[in-house]
Amino acid sequence: MLPLGVAVWVVLEIWLLVLIGGAAGGFTVFLLLAAAVVAGGAVIKRAGRRAFRNLNRTLKTRGAADPQAEQHDEQHTEGNGLLMLAGLLLIVPGPLSDVLGLLLLVPPVRQAVSRAAERMMERRLRTAVPGTWGDAFQQARMHQKDGKVVQGEVVQDDEPPTRRNDSGPRPPLTG
């Protein structure tokens, strides 16, 4: 279904570009596409800088337990991924992807999409079959807010691997 969905998306984007080009002219379409690429690049750059700044702040204050700083960090780190997705959608040529990218730039829309995606992931994780990726993600989420980690199992080999000590001839590779 995914390849079919991508094909339909591409055909729809091209059809809309042709309609806009017929109504406003080819040069206008070119300017719109160029402006969207520049805007998308700026959005991705801003979101990347913001994420890097938050990472540095988190690494510097890792030992300090400041509830106000944690609340501030949580407010400013949410949505970096969706901002980057918005920039990517702006860079992808086509009016439909541009509209979706612009919608993701609106904070209430971005928050609603974030909450919906989180609910969907939690639903999938609850119904995950043990031993699948969902199980691994569920285990990764076991970190507590206070920095403690839920106890797990560590498997460690006490014996080093043994070397094969054959001095005789090896059998041929083909049979």
Side-chain angles (χ1 to χ4, degrees):
M1 291 301 279
L2 184 65
L4 180 64
V6 170
V8 169
W9 180 279
V10 169
V11 168
L12 185 60
E13 292 278 28
I14 292 171
W15 179 67
L16 288 172
L17 281 173
V18 169
L19 282 178
I20 294 171
F27 188 68
T28 305
V29 170
F30 174 74
L31 288 178
L32 286 173
L33 291 175
V37 167
V38 170
V43 168
I44 288 175
K45 184 177 179 180
R46 180 173 179 248
R49 282 186 177 170
R50 192 167 122 183
F52 190 71
R53 195 172 41 247
N54 289 334
L55 176 65
N56 280 335
R57 185 182 314 124
T58 301
L59 291 175
K60 286 180 184 176
T61 61
R62 185 177 180 127
D66 185 9
Q68 289 180 341
E70 287 180 13
Q71 184 180 8
H72 182 266
D73 286 346
E74 286 178 10
Q75 290 173 352
H76 290 289
T77 57
E78 285 186 11
N80 281 336
L82 288 176
L83 275 175
M84 288 186 182
L85 178 63
L88 181 66
L89 285 171
L90 285 170
I91 289 174
V92 171
L96 194 56
S97 60
D98 290 346
V99 167
L100 290 175
L102 289 172
L103 282 174
L104 281 177
L105 291 178
V106 179
V109 174
R110 191 171 53 245
Q111 290 169 354
V113 169
S114 177
R115 283 192 302 267
E118 187 175 343
R119 281 193 304 266
M120 183 182 72
M121 285 299 292
E122 285 178 359
R123 219 175 307 131
R124 284 187 178 235
L125 289 176
R126 271 187 260 133
T127 61
V129 177
T132 62
W133 281 103
D135 190 34
F137 285 127
Q138 185 67 30
Q139 290 175 4
R141 291 180 49 155
M142 290 183 182
H143 290 273
Q144 303 295 323
K145 287 227 183 241
D146 59 357
K148 294 180 183 174
V149 178
V150 176
Q151 186 175 355
E153 181 178 341
V154 176
V155 178
Q156 182 177 357
D157 290 337
D158 292 334
E159 298 177 24
T162 58
R163 286 185 81 180
R164 200 174 92 145
N165 194 4
D166 286 344
S167 58
R170 294 186 177 189
L173 294 176
T174 58

